[in-house]
Amino acid sequence: MFNLTLSELSQALSRGEYSSRELTQAFLDRIQSLDTQYNSFITISEEQAIEQAKAADAIRAAGKATRLTGLPIAHKDLFCTQGIRTSCGSKMLDNFISPYNATLVERLNQAGMVTLGKTNMDEFAMGSSNESSYYGAVKNPWDAGRVPGGSSGGSAAAVAARLIPASTGSDTGGSIRQPAALCGITGLKPTYGRISRYGMIAYASSFDQAGPMTRTAEDAALLLQAMAGEDPLDSTSSTQAVPDYTSTLNDNLSGLRIGLPKEFFAEGTDPLILQRVQEAVAEFEKMGATVKEISLPNTQLSIPSYYILAPAEASSNLSRFDGVRYGHRCDTPKDLEDLYKRTRAEGFGAEVKRRIMVGTYALSEGFYDAYYRKAQQIRRVIQQDFIDALNEVDVIMAPVTPCSAFHLGEKNSDPVSMYMEDIFTLSLNLAGLPGISIPCGFADHLPVGLQVIGNYFAEGKLLNIAHQYQQVTAWHQQAPANLSED
Amino acid sequence: MEWEVVIGLEIHVQLATNTKIFSGASTAFGAEPNTQACAVNLALPGTLPVFNENALRMAIMFGLAVNAEIGKRSVFERKNYFYPDLPKGYQTTQLAEPIVGPGFIDIETDDGDTRRVRIHHAHLEEDAGKSLHEDFHGMSGIDLNRAGTPLVEIVSEPDMRSSKEAAAYARKIHAIVTTLGICDGNMAEGSMRCDCNVSIRPKGQETLGTRTELKNINSFRFIERAIDTEVNRQIDLIEDGGRVIQETRLYDPDKNETRSMRSKEEANDYRYFPCPDLLPVVIDDTYIDNIRASLPELPDARRARFCEEYGLSEYDAGVLSSDRAQADYFETVTGLTQSAKLSANWITGELARLLNQADLTIQQSRVSAEQLAGLINRIQDETITGKIAKTVFEILWNEGGTADQIIETQGLKQVNDTGAIEAAIDQVIAQCSPQVEQYIQAEPDKRGKMLGFFMGQVMKLTQGKANPGQVQGLLKQKLDQRC
Amino acid sequence: MSLDRSDVERIAHLARIAIDDSEIPEYTESLNSILTLIDQLQATSTDGITPLAHPMDAVQRLREDEVTECNQRDRLQACAPAVEEGLFLVPKVIE
């Protein structure tokens, strides 16, 4: 049961092999007994899950089930879930029980999915290792001494450890794709605006994008179908019609034009990772794709540009955490300033405070033009590089990360070395483009991800490519060796 | 030394939308604390703004009414600062690309000239909540019902040269926004709030002096008084060898003084940047033209028409056109009475007096335009005298009904019967023989003045009901017979 | 660009984050290393390039002016740290 994909479980439910109630209980039990090893969940919402599962069974009995009805899912703990703590991995929101559902949560609830709990994450989604969580680090199921990546580290680890067949994540600079790669699962970051941000606690508003984290592209397509679409509550959600993602999964890839940006294959990346990516590209050539080298000349500038713009937005987005209306509040504040300063000093962790301060500085008087404005100009340059490249090729393929899962604590002391982890992922967020990470082999027994980048709203094409690859390879079916099975 | 006063105004106008600028919560005034503060207004984690089209339309209406360029592309920015009435920790406002660009209005100066006051720009933004200072164990209470109410902030150039001009400018803005129907104009409830930037300089000097900003003044009268007080303070300061420092000051109407707001002293660094949760607002000419076509007649045009069409004085026309409801009321009464003069007199006289006493707006008037017209018509057809009309009006105000009913039931009809009037005159002449003697002795050109005394006596005797024209004619005739 | 102690104190104040004297050296060091990273931008000329505020070339959509929210005060204040008579309590606001 635990090794089945969403679509396989969906079939089992419709065949009546077990009820959603039984399925839910089985996964809840598994989380309870195994997650002590991984720490991938912050909150397990057992009661609500049982209620939802019962309701799903009733819907099925009434003949109104969708493909997602009764299937278990876990949400990254930055999606607001009504009646369930939504902590964002922070002490600041340790006591925050959301009074409303994020649009994404609401849509998956409407589709009949069952929320088993909330997954661990870097505090306020700021991190690439899941070590900045107030609730402690998450351990990579492939090697408990290593990080699962971040910031959606709990979501990735839980799927990899078969604690949950699918989860939601969010990607501001690589936070879906990088942990997906490090944990050997499939993670899709859609085009900016494809999925509503309403109810997703903001890190950097013009970058943040939710997406599915699954074991297969087919499952990702199923979930994206339910998650995507315009939301009147999010002005930045796209009005573009949502295509039928599952109907194009089996399109023929013959003639597909693949671009390999030379800047993503340069020195500094683990040669084993480059080798796995090249092997994956060769698989596509076998399917009739053509490959050419392309250039994204300003890739190096994406890190400084991102680390100005995202913290700047974050510094403002996180001002609402002031101890007045919800969340942490310091004891016996002596005046207003003391309330603000101690509440925020106590409620936020080190990395969050660092980014707030960097962003505050970048926006402050006299520095705006040199930092913020300049970074926005570079953002346009980087976007233009992608637009030019995607005029020449259909998709771009590249590694997701420069190295495979690193050791817990390895990059903790130096924020800048942690930031370099995002070199291959965050330029997409600057441009707003979609990208998918799929397992493409191993480097020293650790999973390696292949990144496929497409044009705006080309999620269907990316899922098609990923699905075709998963038809001819078995990397996505590999499970960590030490997992107990049912 | 002779000083010149330089004043610029920033006026915040609350837009009369049903809902807030970025959420579907009601903007109604006076609700229980925090019952109109929704998840967006409380800045709950994950919530996002969506822009209210009506706020956009109203801002454009204002821009068109002040001859301004409308921004085809406007951008919301975040102004970052911490304050408990500001739930997000930033105010969503406009800075570099506002919805309304440069414009102007004309105001009338003390000496009857017209002065053009340039408007630098006007932008859309959200209002903050309120801090209530009643003592909650030494704490303040925060009510966020007002948070997110749409505002247009109208920023003038420093074109005004006296407190009277500043008040005239504010009155004109008030007349425009109420005529447009984009603001209820209720200054006591904070629907229109005024910040005054005040500086002085030696007459003839080009460069501006250091200015102070007087915050949140909520009546036209206080605008004048606050500015006068502040100007005097600045003059005294400079003439005593001191220097004006740039700061925010609060006007205290009770003590009639301004004082420094130390809490706002600290140099602010608002870290403005474009709000990433909102996209640029883009509109085209058709959109603007449709709004232009729907604009009501503006105060200046209405005032000119009132002079032209109804023959009103500049003054009456100005007063009546300064408020849309009042101008509408006037036109209704005039339409029903065919007498613009009487209508204007009654509205600016008795009605204004009672409204003022009861602290009501004309929309809340206890005498409707139809009721007043009924009264005026009875004056015109001489059913009642002007004096009796005032009594009838008070009854209308206090008890309601129609003029006709009141005249009938209280027996207030004018006495036009010559016989009855002559009898009353004869009685007065008989009772007042010393005065009659004086009248006879007086020079003929002084007698006219003395007639007033006898008029008063006759009217008193007839309880004000005698037709005053008839009384005057007959009285003169009878007295002059004796000379 | 390099930050010193007073810069760090000023930024922390703007951001309303209390920092101990003992933390300042660490903050100064890590913020300076981040600044070194982001200062790499300065070498690139961006003359004449329009800043990109938002990845999608879209315009703001407009909402109808209809009340969609009803009073939910009790629910929305359930997680509030200090509430009395429906008001959020904070240390005395001085104007």
Side-chain angles (χ1 to χ4, degrees):
Chain A
M1 177 192 286
F2 304 118
N3 261 325
L4 299 181
T5 63
L6 279 183
S7 46
E8 289 161 348
L9 288 168
S10 176
Q11 286 160 19
L13 283 174
S14 61
R15 283 194 302 265
E17 285 177 29
Y18 29 76
S19 66
S20 174
R21 176 77 206 271
E22 288 162 336
L23 182 64
T24 299
Q25 194 60 58
F27 272 101
L28 284 170
D29 292 346
R30 184 173 166 87
I31 295 166
Q32 295 285 10
S33 66
L34 294 183
D35 197 42
T36 45
Q37 298 172 39
Y38 312 112
N39 195 29
S40 64
F41 278 80
I42 291 174
T43 303
I44 300 164
S45 49
E46 180 158 5
E47 257 177 61
Q48 291 97 329
I50 300 287
E51 286 308 309
Q52 280 184 315
K54 282 189 201 162
D57 284 332
I59 285 167
R60 187 171 299 282
K64 291 181 185 154
T66 71
R67 287 188 72 182
L68 294 176
T69 302
L71 296 176
I73 192 164
H75 296 301
K76 185 176 183 178
D77 207 17
L78 51 48
F79 293 105
C80 283
T81 42
Q82 189 173 329
I84 303 172
R85 173 171 63 178
T86 301
S87 77
C88 224
S90 181
K91 179 182 178 184
M92 186 61 89
L93 291 176
D94 183 44
N95 59 4
F96 178 66
I97 294 167
S98 174
Y100 77 104
N101 276 329
T103 297
L104 170 156
V105 171
E106 193 62 40
R107 288 189 177 185
L108 295 177
N109 284 351
Q110 289 301 320
M113 293 198 88
V114 178
T115 304
L116 267 51
K118 308 293 292 289
T119 56
N120 205 340
M121 56 183 284
D122 278 299
E123 185 182 7
F124 283 101
M126 298 178 189
S128 308
S129 69
N130 215 116
E131 291 167 292
S132 75
S133 171
Y134 173 63
Y135 302 92
V138 175
K139 293 174 184 100
N140 192 317
W142 293 88
D143 179 342
R146 294 174 187 269
V147 302
S151 66
S152 311
S155 289
V159 172
R162 274 65 176 164
L163 302 183
I164 194 86
S167 62
T168 53
S170 70
D171 191 315
T172 306
S175 283
I176 287 175
R177 291 160 289 155
Q178 185 252 18
L182 267 43
C183 291
I185 67 162
T186 300
L188 172 67
K189 178 240 175 256
T191 306
Y192 180 84
R194 180 70 295 180
I195 297 171
S196 168
R197 294 187 296 115
Y198 191 79
M200 178 168 83
I201 299 178
Y203 158 23
S205 310
S206 75
F207 296 82
D208 295 343
Q209 181 54 217
M213 300 179 77
T214 54
R215 290 216 304 283
T216 66
E218 186 186 13
D219 283 0
L222 264 179
L223 282 182
L224 182 63
Q225 199 73 50
M227 292 156 78
E230 185 186 356
D231 179 5
L233 299 176
D234 175 4
S235 302
T236 63
S237 67
S238 172
T239 54
Q240 286 247 352
V242 178
D244 181 351
Y245 296 116
T246 51
S247 73
T248 51
L249 286 174
N250 288 309
D251 286 2
N252 193 304
L253 296 184
S254 175
L256 179 78
R257 296 172 302 164
I258 298 171
L260 303 180
K262 60 178 186 217
E263 295 80 6
F264 285 52
F265 290 85
E267 255 177 69
T269 298
D270 180 348
L272 282 175
I273 288 180
L274 292 181
Q275 200 183 324
R276 294 292 96 83
V277 170
Q278 294 289 5
E279 288 163 8
V281 171
E283 284 294 335
F284 290 104
E285 286 184 294
K286 281 192 228 160
M287 294 181 226
T290 62
V291 177
K292 72 184 275 192
E293 187 185 89
I294 57 163
S295 176
L296 295 167
N298 296 292
T299 298
Q300 282 303 325
L301 294 176
S302 60
I303 289 187
S305 171
Y306 175 89
Y307 278 100
I308 291 168
L309 296 175
E313 291 185 14
S315 71
S316 175
N317 283 335
L318 271 62
S319 291
R320 64 188 60 198
F321 302 104
D322 58 5
V324 175
R325 298 164 312 285
Y326 46 78
H328 177 70
R329 176 177 179 130
C330 67
D331 280 335
T332 57
K334 67 178 199 295
D335 56 27
L336 260 181
E337 189 163 310
D338 186 42
L339 168 72
Y340 290 145
K341 288 187 170 177
R342 272 201 294 133
T343 294
R344 292 165 61 79
E346 293 166 8
F348 293 138
E351 180 60 20
V352 171
K353 287 190 248 190
R354 250 195 307 271
R355 292 198 196 186
I356 289 175
M357 288 172 66
V358 168
T360 301
Y361 179 66
L363 289 173
S364 65
E365 213 173 324
F367 299 101
Y368 182 89
D369 283 352
Y371 287 120
Y372 192 78
R373 191 181 144 83
K374 181 101 181 172
Q376 280 195 333
Q377 290 173 313
I378 298 288
R379 188 175 191 180
R380 188 174 295 280
V381 169
I382 288 166
Q383 183 190 48
Q384 194 57 51
D385 283 355
F386 274 108
I387 291 171
D388 293 345
L390 288 166
N391 277 332
E392 284 180 54
V393 296
D394 299 315
V395 292
I396 296 165
M397 290 191 185
V400 182
T401 57
C403 62
S404 47
F406 45 94
H407 287 102
L408 287 157
E410 187 181 329
K411 300 188 177 184
N412 237 352
S413 53
D414 178 9
V416 170
S417 77
M418 189 77 88
Y419 297 173
M420 302 309 284
E421 259 298 293
D422 306 328
I423 177 74
F424 299 141
T425 49
L426 49 73
S427 52
L428 268 74
N429 300 82
L430 285 161
L433 289 164
I436 193 167
S437 169
I438 50 175
C440 68
F442 293 85
D444 290 331
H445 312 294
L446 293 168
V448 174
L450 166 71
Q451 184 172 211
V452 189
I453 301 161
N455 218 324
Y456 295 105
F457 300 103
E459 288 81 7
K461 177 53 67 182
L462 298 185
L463 290 163
N464 167 218
I465 289 167
H467 181 67
Q468 290 307 304
Y469 181 75
Q470 291 176 345
Q471 298 309 295
V472 297
T473 59
W475 304 119
H476 62 290
Q477 291 167 345
Q478 308 294 308
N482 52 345
L483 284 188
S484 55
E485 236 317 289
D486 49 328
Chain B
M1 180 165 330
E2 208 178 337
W3 296 98
E4 182 176 50
V5 179
V6 177
I7 304 161
L9 258 52
E10 290 165 21
I11 298 181
H12 288 86
V13 168
Q14 275 187 347
L15 296 178
T17 52
N18 298 319
T19 62
K20 301 205 174 160
I21 184 167
F22 298 123
S23 77
S26 169
T27 53
F29 181 83
E32 284 288 300
N34 290 311
T35 55
Q36 286 174 181
C38 68
V40 174
N41 306 141
L42 296 187
L44 287 193
T47 56
L48 295 170
V50 190
F51 183 37
N52 181 344
E53 179 171 18
N54 213 7
L56 173 67
R57 294 183 57 86
M58 288 180 176
I60 294 172
M61 285 170 82
F62 176 77
L64 293 173
V66 298
N67 317 291
E69 192 77 17
I70 303 301
K72 298 260 181 64
R73 179 191 143 96
S74 53
V75 173
F76 285 107
E77 307 208 22
R78 293 182 180 179
K79 178 183 184 181
N80 293 283
Y81 65 96
F82 286 87
Y83 211 65
D85 63 11
L86 190 72
K88 297 190 297 297
Y90 55 84
Q91 180 191 34
T92 306
T93 178
Q94 298 181 322
L95 182 71
E97 298 177 81
I99 183 67
V100 175
F104 64 86
I105 60 171
D106 291 327
I107 58 166
E108 287 69 44
T109 60
D110 306 350
D111 45 20
D113 285 347
T114 300
R115 184 191 285 285
R116 178 151 293 183
V117 177
R118 292 167 301 155
I119 288 167
H120 180 273
H121 79 274
H123 62 259
L124 277 163
E125 62 183 26
E126 58 185 342
D127 210 343
K130 280 181 183 166
S131 308
L132 304 176
H133 304 296
E134 289 103 79
D135 201 17
F136 294 99
H137 339 288
M139 313 272 271
S140 291
I142 305 297
D143 174 11
L144 297 173
N145 280 349
R146 197 179 68 176
T149 298
L151 296 176
V152 165
E153 179 175 344
I154 305 152
V155 180
S156 85
E157 296 284 358
D159 284 355
M160 287 150 279
R161 295 291 174 267
S162 71
S163 62
K164 282 214 168 67
E165 285 181 18
Y169 167 81
R171 280 200 183 89
K172 181 57 78 66
I173 295 289
H174 186 269
I176 290 171
V177 297
T178 53
T179 299
L180 291 171
I182 62 173
C183 176
D184 67 18
N186 190 330
M187 294 181 78
E189 287 177 3
S191 299
M192 184 168 146
R193 309 192 291 270
C194 208
D195 300 340
C196 307
N197 289 304
V198 180
S199 65
I200 58 170
R201 62 182 171 192
K203 203 144 204 165
Q205 182 181 301
E206 276 284 313
T207 52
L208 292 168
T210 305
R211 66 163 198 266
T212 57
E213 185 181 6
L214 308 177
K215 273 273 176 214
N216 262 337
I217 302 173
N218 64 359
S219 86
F220 299 122
R221 200 156 30 102
F222 289 165
I223 291 175
E224 281 194 53
R225 284 172 50 188
I227 292 173
D228 288 340
T229 308
E230 176 60 13
V231 165
N232 288 334
R233 188 191 70 88
Q234 290 188 11
I235 291 174
D236 289 349
L237 192 64
I238 294 175
E239 290 185 346
D240 287 350
R243 274 178 44 216
V244 175
I245 47 169
Q246 189 165 339
E247 62 178 351
T248 302
R249 299 181 69 85
L250 192 71
Y251 175 66
D252 181 341
D254 297 328
K255 295 183 183 152
N256 194 33
E257 63 176 30
T258 68
R259 64 168 184 270
S260 183
M261 291 172 78
R262 288 215 174 69
S263 61
K264 305 229 171 181
E265 275 310 78
E266 176 192 321
N268 270 314
D269 183 344
Y270 291 123
R271 291 159 284 136
Y272 282 96
F273 74 107
C275 178
D277 288 331
L278 291 160
L279 298 164
V281 179
V282 177
I283 48 174
D284 59 17
D285 285 321
T286 318
Y287 193 85
I288 297 170
D289 289 343
N290 284 338
I291 294 174
R292 196 192 310 273
S294 71
L295 289 183
E297 188 182 26
L298 291 167
D300 281 352
R302 206 166 196 188
R303 168 199 176 110
R305 183 166 63 79
F306 280 6
C307 293
E308 178 101 349
E309 186 177 330
Y310 300 120
L312 296 185
S313 69
E314 278 283 341
Y315 179 80
D316 281 352
V319 170
L320 289 169
S321 61
S322 70
D323 178 278
R324 183 183 181 174
Q326 183 167 257
D328 288 346
Y329 190 103
F330 163 72
E331 294 214 78
T332 306
V333 178
T334 302
L336 293 169
T337 61
Q338 299 304 311
S339 172
K341 179 103 190 60
L342 275 175
S343 304
N345 287 348
W346 275 88
I347 293 166
T348 58
E350 284 302 287
L351 179 64
R353 188 176 63 81
L354 292 184
L355 287 174
N356 221 349
Q357 258 174 26
D359 199 19
L360 297 175
T361 66
I362 198 151
Q363 285 107 314
Q364 300 163 317
S365 171
R366 293 156 71 170
V367 175
S368 70
E370 290 72 18
Q371 285 173 302
L372 178 58
L375 175 66
I376 290 173
N377 282 333
R378 294 294 80 81
I379 303 170
Q380 294 200 93
D381 65 13
E382 302 197 330
T383 306
I384 52 171
T385 63
K387 190 168 163 58
I388 290 294
K390 288 187 182 174
T391 312
V392 176
F393 187 75
E394 297 240 358
I395 298 169
L396 279 175
W397 180 272
N398 290 320
E399 294 163 29
T402 68
D404 286 338
Q405 285 165 356
I406 295 165
I407 293 164
E408 189 60 42
T409 55
Q410 314 247 354
L412 297 173
K413 263 196 188 139
Q414 179 165 285
V415 176
N416 296 322
D417 172 5
T418 311
I421 293 174
E422 277 184 308
I425 290 172
D426 291 341
Q427 196 181 331
V428 167
I429 287 175
Q431 283 168 357
C432 304
S433 46
Q435 286 84 356
V436 172
E437 201 51 40
Q438 279 175 19
Y439 185 89
I440 294 165
Q441 299 297 325
E443 298 289 325
D445 59 326
K446 300 263 168 71
R447 286 180 186 149
K449 268 192 179 166
M450 304 174 75
L451 207 58
F453 167 76
F454 298 102
M455 279 287 294
Q457 294 302 311
V458 177
M459 294 311 281
K460 200 170 162 187
L461 192 64
T462 59
Q463 294 165 305
K465 286 186 281 189
N467 181 326
Q470 280 183 325
V471 174
Q472 185 160 22
L474 289 169
L475 196 56
K476 193 162 186 319
Q477 199 185 323
K478 280 185 184 278
L479 286 169
D480 287 354
Q481 276 169 5
R482 295 174 173 249
C483 299
Chain C
M1 201 67 67
S2 180
L3 301 179
D4 60 21
R5 188 185 182 90
S6 69
D7 293 325
V8 172
E9 283 171 341
R10 182 178 60 85
I11 297 166
H13 173 67
L14 267 179
R16 296 296 186 277
I17 293 172
I19 45 176
D20 280 352
D21 276 0
S22 63
E23 295 174 299
I24 291 180
E26 196 191 321
Y27 270 112
T28 310
E29 191 195 342
S30 66
L31 291 181
N32 274 325
S33 77
I34 295 168
L35 284 187
T36 307
L37 173 77
I38 65 183
D39 269 333
Q40 290 171 13
L41 281 192
Q42 307 308 337
T44 305
S45 164
T46 50
D47 294 348
I49 297 169
T50 312
L52 181 69
H54 219 274
M56 307 310 282
D57 188 23
V59 301
Q60 180 59 35
R61 77 188 61 156
L62 303 169
R63 177 176 60 79
E64 278 202 47
D65 187 20
E66 280 168 7
V67 176
T68 54
E69 304 296 323
C70 54
N71 173 19
Q72 306 235 16
R73 186 172 76 183
D74 292 347
R75 249 163 47 72
L76 297 180
Q77 289 188 335
C79 279
V83 165
E84 199 168 303
E85 294 174 28
L87 297 161
F88 298 100
L89 296 192
V90 296
K92 200 105 197 134
V93 176
I94 304 149
E95 302 225 14

